[in-house]
Amino acid sequence: MKTPVLEGRGLRKTFGDLEVLRGVDLRVAKGEVVVVVGPSGCGKSTLLRCLNLLERPTAGEVLLDGEVITTPEMDPNQVRRRVGMVFQRFHLFPHLNALDNVALAPQRVLGLGAAAARERAAGLLEKVGVGARQHAHPQEMSGGEQQRVAIARALAMEPEVLLFDEPTSALDPEWVGEVLKTMRSLVEEGVTMVVVTHEMGFAREVADAVLFMDQGLVVERGRPEEVLLRPQHERTRLFLRRLLREPQGLQ
């Protein structure tokens, strides 16, 4: 088994009396793509937020390159430099154009000079297919363009792992394909990724492993053809039938 670059061990998270994560384990090796699926409210987004310390786990630990990062003395900002995240909503600064949205964090956090940061930003905007829109402000761009700018912004920090939290769920259907195309290109380049999504075709195509979560637990995990086409647990089968309306190959 490959050594994980990112690992969650026994992760639990409670909000008051509500236990959202109930002991979740996750391992991601360098260059792997792990896709997490499950019904709304099952804890998928909370899991991602615990992995880069946007939320502190109530119990359990997260390891990055073998180092426990959930200790009280760990600076979460240092973790987020290494574990990037792309959200459902784009969270771009409305007063900045695409180029400046991407260049800002490398300047402020990494200490790059303005010229170097803008050069990096321009290259990344080209990479994700919106180079021609670098001077446009968010309100002048489609949802798909804004999400690709958000992906470029995450890549600008050169993270070791990139987390995606339902990156297409806020998009009109016509823009979903262009964002998934960008993500596929990152997969081909070997970017290490954890992706929460309902795009089952994308999951079957790119995932090295799929985790199905329900009620704060990982119910089933395995290769995409195993979990998505030949699930062993009835809860997984029910979820997929509702989502895919009896997909071909689901027994």
Side-chain angles (χ1 to χ4, degrees), residues 201-240:
F202 175 81
R204 288 197 299 268
E205 179 184 344
V206 308
D208 294 289
V210 173
L211 276 62
F212 171 70
M213 289 185 63
D214 189 36
Q215 297 182 358
L217 295 169
V218 175
V219 175
E220 192 160 355
R221 73 179 77 214
R223 301 284 300 174
E225 62 270 17
E226 297 167 348
V227 176
L228 300 179
L229 296 180
R230 296 183 295 276
Q232 298 302 304
H233 292 265
E234 181 58 30
R235 185 64 189 90
T236 316
R237 295 164 68 90
L238 178 61
F239 169 76
L240 291 171

Short mmCIF file of all heavy atoms in Angstrom, two decimals, residues 201-240:
data_model
loop_
_atom_site.label_atom_id
_atom_site.label_comp_id
_atom_site.label_asym_id
_atom_site.label_seq_id
_atom_site.Cartn_x
_atom_site.Cartn_y
_atom_site.Cartn_z
N GLY A 201 -20.40 9.99 -13.26
CA GLY A 201 -19.60 9.68 -14.44
C GLY A 201 -18.16 10.13 -14.25
O GLY A 201 -17.21 9.40 -14.60
N PHE A 202 -17.98 11.30 -13.68
CA PHE A 202 -16.64 11.80 -13.39
C PHE A 202 -15.96 10.89 -12.37
O PHE A 202 -14.78 10.54 -12.53
CB PHE A 202 -16.76 13.22 -12.84
CG PHE A 202 -15.46 13.82 -12.38
CD1 PHE A 202 -14.58 14.37 -13.30
CD2 PHE A 202 -15.13 13.86 -11.04
CE1 PHE A 202 -13.38 14.93 -12.88
CE2 PHE A 202 -13.93 14.42 -10.61
CZ PHE A 202 -13.06 14.95 -11.54
N ALA A 203 -16.68 10.47 -11.35
CA ALA A 203 -16.09 9.60 -10.34
C ALA A 203 -15.64 8.28 -10.94
O ALA A 203 -14.54 7.79 -10.65
CB ALA A 203 -17.11 9.36 -9.22
N ARG A 204 -16.47 7.68 -11.78
CA ARG A 204 -16.09 6.40 -12.40
C ARG A 204 -14.86 6.56 -13.28
O ARG A 204 -14.02 5.67 -13.36
CB ARG A 204 -17.26 5.86 -13.24
CG ARG A 204 -18.42 5.33 -12.43
CD ARG A 204 -19.33 4.45 -13.26
NE ARG A 204 -19.90 5.19 -14.39
CZ ARG A 204 -21.07 5.82 -14.34
NH1 ARG A 204 -21.77 5.84 -13.22
NH2 ARG A 204 -21.54 6.45 -15.39
N GLU A 205 -14.75 7.72 -13.93
CA GLU A 205 -13.67 7.93 -14.89
C GLU A 205 -12.32 8.19 -14.23
O GLU A 205 -11.29 7.68 -14.69
CB GLU A 205 -14.02 9.11 -15.80
CG GLU A 205 -12.97 9.45 -16.83
CD GLU A 205 -13.34 10.68 -17.63
OE1 GLU A 205 -14.53 11.09 -17.60
OE2 GLU A 205 -12.45 11.24 -18.29
N VAL A 206 -12.29 8.98 -13.14
CA VAL A 206 -11.00 9.47 -12.65
C VAL A 206 -10.59 8.94 -11.28
O VAL A 206 -9.41 9.03 -10.92
CB VAL A 206 -10.98 11.02 -12.60
CG1 VAL A 206 -11.40 11.61 -13.94
CG2 VAL A 206 -11.86 11.55 -11.47
N ALA A 207 -11.52 8.39 -10.51
CA ALA A 207 -11.19 8.06 -9.12
C ALA A 207 -10.30 6.82 -9.03
O ALA A 207 -10.48 5.85 -9.76
CB ALA A 207 -12.47 7.83 -8.32
N ASP A 208 -9.35 6.88 -8.10
CA ASP A 208 -8.62 5.69 -7.71
C ASP A 208 -9.39 4.93 -6.63
O ASP A 208 -9.30 3.71 -6.53
CB ASP A 208 -7.24 6.07 -7.16
CG ASP A 208 -6.36 6.69 -8.24
OD1 ASP A 208 -5.92 5.95 -9.13
OD2 ASP A 208 -6.13 7.92 -8.18
N ALA A 209 -10.15 5.68 -5.83
CA ALA A 209 -10.97 5.07 -4.78
C ALA A 209 -12.21 5.93 -4.58
O ALA A 209 -12.17 7.14 -4.75
CB ALA A 209 -10.20 4.95 -3.47
N VAL A 210 -13.31 5.27 -4.23
CA VAL A 210 -14.57 5.95 -3.92
C VAL A 210 -14.98 5.57 -2.51
O VAL A 210 -14.93 4.39 -2.13
CB VAL A 210 -15.67 5.57 -4.92
CG1 VAL A 210 -17.02 6.15 -4.49
CG2 VAL A 210 -15.32 6.06 -6.32
N LEU A 211 -15.38 6.57 -1.73
CA LEU A 211 -15.95 6.35 -0.40
C LEU A 211 -17.41 6.76 -0.44
O LEU A 211 -17.74 7.86 -0.89
CB LEU A 211 -15.22 7.20 0.65
CG LEU A 211 -13.93 6.68 1.28
CD1 LEU A 211 -12.85 6.49 0.22
CD2 LEU A 211 -13.46 7.62 2.36
N PHE A 212 -18.27 5.87 0.01
CA PHE A 212 -19.68 6.21 0.17
C PHE A 212 -19.95 6.45 1.65
O PHE A 212 -19.70 5.58 2.49
CB PHE A 212 -20.60 5.10 -0.34
CG PHE A 212 -22.05 5.33 0.01
CD1 PHE A 212 -22.77 6.36 -0.59
CD2 PHE A 212 -22.69 4.56 0.97
CE1 PHE A 212 -24.09 6.60 -0.25
CE2 PHE A 212 -24.01 4.78 1.32
CZ PHE A 212 -24.71 5.81 0.70
N MET A 213 -20.42 7.65 1.98
CA MET A 213 -20.72 8.02 3.35
C MET A 213 -22.22 8.13 3.59
O MET A 213 -22.97 8.52 2.70
CB MET A 213 -20.06 9.37 3.70
CG MET A 213 -18.56 9.33 3.82
SD MET A 213 -17.88 10.94 4.37
CE MET A 213 -18.63 11.08 6.02
N ASP A 214 -22.61 7.80 4.79
CA ASP A 214 -23.99 7.99 5.21
C ASP A 214 -24.01 8.15 6.73
O ASP A 214 -23.34 7.39 7.45
CB ASP A 214 -24.86 6.80 4.79
CG ASP A 214 -26.34 7.07 5.02
OD1 ASP A 214 -26.77 8.22 4.84
OD2 ASP A 214 -27.07 6.12 5.40
N GLN A 215 -24.71 9.16 7.21
CA GLN A 215 -24.88 9.42 8.64
C GLN A 215 -23.54 9.46 9.38
O GLN A 215 -23.39 8.92 10.47
CB GLN A 215 -25.82 8.37 9.25
CG GLN A 215 -27.21 8.42 8.66
CD GLN A 215 -28.16 7.42 9.29
OE1 GLN A 215 -27.79 6.65 10.15
NE2 GLN A 215 -29.40 7.44 8.84
N GLY A 216 -22.57 10.13 8.76
CA GLY A 216 -21.30 10.36 9.43
C GLY A 216 -20.32 9.21 9.41
O GLY A 216 -19.27 9.29 10.06
N LEU A 217 -20.64 8.16 8.67
CA LEU A 217 -19.78 6.98 8.59
C LEU A 217 -19.43 6.67 7.15
O LEU A 217 -20.20 6.97 6.23
CB LEU A 217 -20.49 5.76 9.19
CG LEU A 217 -20.81 5.78 10.69
CD1 LEU A 217 -21.74 4.64 11.03
CD2 LEU A 217 -19.52 5.69 11.51
N VAL A 218 -18.27 6.03 6.94
CA VAL A 218 -17.95 5.46 5.64
C VAL A 218 -18.58 4.08 5.59
O VAL A 218 -18.15 3.16 6.30
CB VAL A 218 -16.43 5.38 5.41
CG1 VAL A 218 -16.13 4.67 4.09
CG2 VAL A 218 -15.81 6.77 5.40
N VAL A 219 -19.61 3.94 4.78
CA VAL A 219 -20.35 2.68 4.68
C VAL A 219 -19.64 1.70 3.76
O VAL A 219 -19.63 0.49 3.98
CB VAL A 219 -21.78 2.95 4.17
CG1 VAL A 219 -22.55 1.65 3.93
CG2 VAL A 219 -22.53 3.84 5.15
N GLU A 220 -19.02 2.24 2.70
CA GLU A 220 -18.40 1.38 1.69
C GLU A 220 -17.26 2.15 1.03
O GLU A 220 -17.35 3.36 0.82
CB GLU A 220 -19.45 0.96 0.67
CG GLU A 220 -19.02 -0.14 -0.26
CD GLU A 220 -20.19 -0.84 -0.92
OE1 GLU A 220 -21.36 -0.53 -0.58
OE2 GLU A 220 -19.94 -1.70 -1.78
N ARG A 221 -16.19 1.43 0.73
CA ARG A 221 -15.07 2.04 0.02
C ARG A 221 -14.45 1.01 -0.91
O ARG A 221 -14.50 -0.20 -0.65
CB ARG A 221 -14.03 2.59 1.00
CG ARG A 221 -13.19 1.55 1.72
CD ARG A 221 -12.19 2.21 2.65
NE ARG A 221 -12.83 2.68 3.87
CZ ARG A 221 -12.46 3.77 4.54
NH1 ARG A 221 -11.45 4.50 4.12
NH2 ARG A 221 -13.10 4.13 5.64
N GLY A 222 -13.87 1.50 -2.01
CA GLY A 222 -13.23 0.58 -2.94
C GLY A 222 -13.00 1.26 -4.27
O GLY A 222 -13.14 2.48 -4.42
N ARG A 223 -12.63 0.47 -5.27
CA ARG A 223 -12.46 0.98 -6.62
C ARG A 223 -13.81 1.49 -7.13
O ARG A 223 -14.87 1.00 -6.72
CB ARG A 223 -11.94 -0.11 -7.54
CG ARG A 223 -10.61 -0.73 -7.14
CD ARG A 223 -9.46 0.19 -7.46
NE ARG A 223 -9.39 0.49 -8.88
CZ ARG A 223 -8.54 1.36 -9.41
NH1 ARG A 223 -7.71 2.04 -8.64
NH2 ARG A 223 -8.52 1.58 -10.71
N PRO A 224 -13.80 2.48 -8.04
CA PRO A 224 -15.09 3.02 -8.50
C PRO A 224 -16.00 1.98 -9.13
O PRO A 224 -17.23 2.02 -8.94
CB PRO A 224 -14.68 4.11 -9.50
CG PRO A 224 -13.24 3.86 -9.81
CD PRO A 224 -12.66 3.21 -8.61
N GLU A 225 -15.42 1.01 -9.86
CA GLU A 225 -16.27 0.00 -10.48
C GLU A 225 -16.89 -0.91 -9.45
O GLU A 225 -17.96 -1.51 -9.69
CB GLU A 225 -15.46 -0.81 -11.51
CG GLU A 225 -14.28 -1.59 -10.94
CD GLU A 225 -12.99 -0.80 -10.93
OE1 GLU A 225 -13.04 0.45 -11.05
OE2 GLU A 225 -11.92 -1.43 -10.81
N GLU A 226 -16.27 -1.02 -8.28
CA GLU A 226 -16.83 -1.84 -7.21
C GLU A 226 -17.94 -1.10 -6.48
O GLU A 226 -19.06 -1.61 -6.31
CB GLU A 226 -15.74 -2.23 -6.22
CG GLU A 226 -14.63 -3.10 -6.82
CD GLU A 226 -13.43 -3.21 -5.90
OE1 GLU A 226 -13.36 -2.43 -4.91
OE2 GLU A 226 -12.55 -4.04 -6.16
N VAL A 227 -17.66 0.12 -6.03
CA VAL A 227 -18.61 0.85 -5.21
C VAL A 227 -19.79 1.36 -6.03
O VAL A 227 -20.94 1.31 -5.59
CB VAL A 227 -17.92 2.03 -4.49
CG1 VAL A 227 -18.92 2.87 -3.72
CG2 VAL A 227 -16.83 1.51 -3.56
N LEU A 228 -19.52 1.84 -7.25
CA LEU A 228 -20.57 2.49 -8.04
C LEU A 228 -21.35 1.53 -8.92
O LEU A 228 -22.50 1.80 -9.26
CB LEU A 228 -19.95 3.60 -8.89
CG LEU A 228 -19.26 4.72 -8.11
CD1 LEU A 228 -18.68 5.75 -9.07
CD2 LEU A 228 -20.21 5.39 -7.12
N LEU A 229 -20.73 0.42 -9.30
CA LEU A 229 -21.42 -0.52 -10.19
C LEU A 229 -21.79 -1.83 -9.51
O LEU A 229 -22.74 -2.48 -9.90
CB LEU A 229 -20.55 -0.81 -11.42
CG LEU A 229 -20.27 0.39 -12.33
CD1 LEU A 229 -19.40 -0.03 -13.51
CD2 LEU A 229 -21.57 1.01 -12.83
N ARG A 230 -21.03 -2.23 -8.49
CA ARG A 230 -21.33 -3.49 -7.79
C ARG A 230 -21.30 -3.27 -6.28
O ARG A 230 -20.55 -3.94 -5.56
CB ARG A 230 -20.34 -4.58 -8.21
CG ARG A 230 -20.41 -4.95 -9.68
CD ARG A 230 -19.46 -6.09 -10.01
NE ARG A 230 -18.07 -5.70 -9.85
CZ ARG A 230 -17.36 -5.06 -10.77
NH1 ARG A 230 -17.92 -4.73 -11.92
NH2 ARG A 230 -16.10 -4.75 -10.55
N PRO A 231 -22.08 -2.34 -5.78
CA PRO A 231 -22.05 -2.05 -4.33
C PRO A 231 -22.51 -3.25 -3.52
O PRO A 231 -23.39 -4.00 -3.92
CB PRO A 231 -23.01 -0.87 -4.19
CG PRO A 231 -23.93 -0.99 -5.36
CD PRO A 231 -23.11 -1.52 -6.47
N GLN A 232 -21.88 -3.40 -2.35
CA GLN A 232 -22.17 -4.54 -1.48
C GLN A 232 -23.23 -4.20 -0.43
O GLN A 232 -23.88 -5.10 0.10
CB GLN A 232 -20.88 -5.00 -0.79
CG GLN A 232 -19.81 -5.48 -1.76
CD GLN A 232 -20.28 -6.62 -2.63
OE1 GLN A 232 -20.71 -7.66 -2.12
NE2 GLN A 232 -20.24 -6.44 -3.94
N HIS A 233 -23.38 -2.92 -0.11
CA HIS A 233 -24.28 -2.51 0.97
C HIS A 233 -25.59 -1.98 0.39
O HIS A 233 -25.59 -1.20 -0.58
CB HIS A 233 -23.62 -1.46 1.85
CG HIS A 233 -22.46 -1.99 2.63
ND1 HIS A 233 -22.59 -2.44 3.93
CD2 HIS A 233 -21.16 -2.17 2.30
CE1 HIS A 233 -21.41 -2.87 4.37
NE2 HIS A 233 -20.53 -2.70 3.39
N GLU A 234 -26.68 -2.35 0.99
CA GLU A 234 -27.98 -1.94 0.51
C GLU A 234 -28.14 -0.41 0.55
O GLU A 234 -28.78 0.17 -0.33
CB GLU A 234 -29.09 -2.60 1.33
CG GLU A 234 -30.51 -2.23 0.87
CD GLU A 234 -30.76 -2.61 -0.59
OE1 GLU A 234 -30.17 -3.59 -1.08
OE2 GLU A 234 -31.56 -1.91 -1.24
N ARG A 235 -27.55 0.24 1.57
CA ARG A 235 -27.66 1.70 1.64
C ARG A 235 -26.98 2.36 0.45
O ARG A 235 -27.49 3.35 -0.09
CB ARG A 235 -27.03 2.20 2.95
CG ARG A 235 -27.22 3.70 3.16
CD ARG A 235 -28.67 4.08 3.30
NE ARG A 235 -28.89 5.51 3.30
CZ ARG A 235 -29.11 6.23 2.20
NH1 ARG A 235 -29.12 5.64 1.01
NH2 ARG A 235 -29.32 7.52 2.27
N THR A 236 -25.85 1.82 0.02
CA THR A 236 -25.18 2.34 -1.18
C THR A 236 -26.04 2.12 -2.41
O THR A 236 -26.19 3.01 -3.26
CB THR A 236 -23.82 1.65 -1.38
OG1 THR A 236 -23.13 1.57 -0.14
CG2 THR A 236 -22.97 2.42 -2.37
N ARG A 237 -26.59 0.93 -2.52
CA ARG A 237 -27.42 0.60 -3.68
C ARG A 237 -28.63 1.54 -3.77
O ARG A 237 -28.99 2.02 -4.85
CB ARG A 237 -27.87 -0.85 -3.59
CG ARG A 237 -26.73 -1.86 -3.68
CD ARG A 237 -27.17 -3.24 -3.18
NE ARG A 237 -28.15 -3.83 -4.07
CZ ARG A 237 -27.84 -4.61 -5.11
NH1 ARG A 237 -26.57 -4.88 -5.37
NH2 ARG A 237 -28.78 -5.12 -5.85
N LEU A 238 -29.26 1.81 -2.62
CA LEU A 238 -30.43 2.69 -2.60
C LEU A 238 -30.04 4.10 -3.03
O LEU A 238 -30.75 4.74 -3.82
CB LEU A 238 -31.04 2.70 -1.20
CG LEU A 238 -32.26 3.60 -0.99
CD1 LEU A 238 -33.40 3.17 -1.90
CD2 LEU A 238 -32.69 3.57 0.47
N PHE A 239 -28.92 4.60 -2.52
CA PHE A 239 -28.47 5.94 -2.89
C PHE A 239 -28.23 6.04 -4.40
O PHE A 239 -28.66 6.99 -5.06
CB PHE A 239 -27.18 6.27 -2.14
CG PHE A 239 -26.48 7.51 -2.63
CD1 PHE A 239 -26.94 8.77 -2.32
CD2 PHE A 239 -25.35 7.39 -3.43
CE1 PHE A 239 -26.30 9.90 -2.78
CE2 PHE A 239 -24.69 8.51 -3.89
CZ PHE A 239 -25.17 9.77 -3.57
N LEU A 240 -27.54 5.05 -4.96
CA LEU A 240 -27.22 5.10 -6.38
C LEU A 240 -28.46 4.96 -7.24
O LEU A 240 -28.58 5.60 -8.28
CB LEU A 240 -26.21 3.99 -6.71
CG LEU A 240 -24.81 4.20 -6.13
CD1 LEU A 240 -23.96 2.96 -6.32
CD2 LEU A 240 -24.14 5.42 -6.77
#
